[in-house]
Amino acid sequence: MKLFDLTGKVAIVTGGNGGIGLGMAKGLAGAGARVVLAGRNAAKGAKAAAELGGAAVFMAADVTKKADCEKLVADTVARFGRLDILVNNAGTAIRKNPQDYTEAEWHKVMDTNMTSAFLCSQAAYPHLVASGARNEGGAKVVNIGSVMSLFGAPHAAPYAASKGAIMQFTKAIATAWAKDNIQCNAVLPGWIDTELTMSAREQVAGLNEAVLARTPAARWGVPEDLSGIAVFLASPGSDFVTGTAIPCDGGCCARA
Ligand code: NDP
């Protein structure tokens, strides 16, 4: 068994049709996995799958819906015969003062960022158990948190709540499923240049300067900065790593 080799493995990346999800999918495909890119926007999905060549397919799914999550997993296993790696990455943000959110906005952010990870993990579980039992390295769940899993920001109440929750969800899954040879970890990205943060830059004056000042690496991350950590956490190289959360942030969590 080679430490960072994913040959023969099958992965689902939710929100894999763009941004950080696509950056991680590139890493997984480069290490030999076949990757299902899941999202709602089929045009973006087709473009992303083409970028990855024969290693990837797009499957349409709204991961806030239980039936879509179950279908995504069932279709993946029907097509590729197995499921070894689940990356819960789909996410969204709505920026407001905490006192101004509607209940619907609160639920939209929580459902997209947190409930989706629960629904996909639950649907994937029997197939991850089968993968873990094959003893070709552990089966893997990788949840995408944020540096806001750790610290606050004034215009991110539901976002920060969802990202804090996903860190605790990661620990729960890790402790419950260790017996099945399933490892579960979270990645906490810093500020990465994607559609999500492009809209933030348009809405929040001075954000670009604040990010550069807050990040010791003095640059925004790019989605491909997440490729390596995705491979590590999806591969046998991390079989004794579980229940933890690893920043990938150019050092911003290290700064007081
Ligand atoms: P993008 O907006 O670029 O991508 C978000 C992805 O999520 C899209 O592919 C989108 O696809 C998918 N998505 C959103 N809602 C749903 C849904 N209901 N069902 C299925 N897919 C959905 O954002 P990022 O790449 O920046 O964000 C990816 C993850 O990384 C998120 O969890 C985000 O919170 C996290 N993150 C991002 C940071 C950053 O600086 N960019 C920092 C820290 C964390 P579609 O629209 O087709 O459904």
Side-chain angles (χ1 to χ4, degrees), residues 11-216:
I12 292 175
V13 181
T14 71
N17 55 346
I20 288 176
L22 181 55
M24 291 189 295
K26 285 180 185 169
L28 301 180
R34 287 164 294 169
V35 186
V36 173
L37 310 170
R40 296 162 304 176
N41 185 322
K44 255 173 59 184
K47 188 164 168 277
E51 248 188 84
L52 291 186
V57 297
F58 171 74
M59 290 189 188
D62 179 343
V63 292
T64 63
K65 297 184 175 148
K66 184 177 163 78
D68 279 27
C69 298
E70 289 173 346
K71 185 171 185 312
L72 170 65
V73 169
D75 288 351
T76 299
V77 175
R79 176 143 186 176
F80 295 111
R82 58 193 283 167
L83 174 62
D84 308 280
I85 300 155
L86 171 65
V87 181
N88 288 310
N89 162 78
T92 195
I94 300 173
R95 292 166 201 89
K96 288 189 167 183
N97 292 314
Q99 63 274 23
D100 295 332
Y101 286 97
T102 64
E103 202 178 337
E105 288 169 334
W106 175 271
H107 285 303
K108 181 177 180 195
V109 177
M110 292 300 283
D111 287 353
T112 308
N113 296 1
M114 177 59 245
T115 309
S116 63
F118 158 67
L119 293 173
C120 288
S121 301
Q122 200 173 53
Y125 178 63
H127 306 288
L128 297 177
V129 170
S131 172
R134 280 186 208 107
N135 271 324
E136 300 166 352
K140 309 288 183 175
V141 179
V142 181
N143 294 325
I144 307 310
S146 163
V147 291
M148 284 181 207
S149 300
L150 301 174
F151 54 74
H155 300 114
Y159 185 84
S162 70
K163 294 298 183 179
I166 207 145
M167 225 168 61
Q168 290 304 109
F169 177 67
T170 299
K171 292 179 194 171
I173 295 282
T175 52
W177 294 353
K179 64 174 177 28
D180 300 312
N181 194 20
I182 300 169
Q183 291 82 49
C184 178
N185 293 287
V187 177
L188 312 182
W191 281 276
I192 313 295
D193 192 4
T194 66
E195 277 179 25
L196 190 84
T197 45
M198 185 60 75
S199 67
R201 276 199 238 192
E202 283 158 11
Q203 285 171 13
V204 182
L207 180 65
N208 185 44
E209 295 68 25
V211 167
L212 295 179
R214 184 78 178 75
T215 306

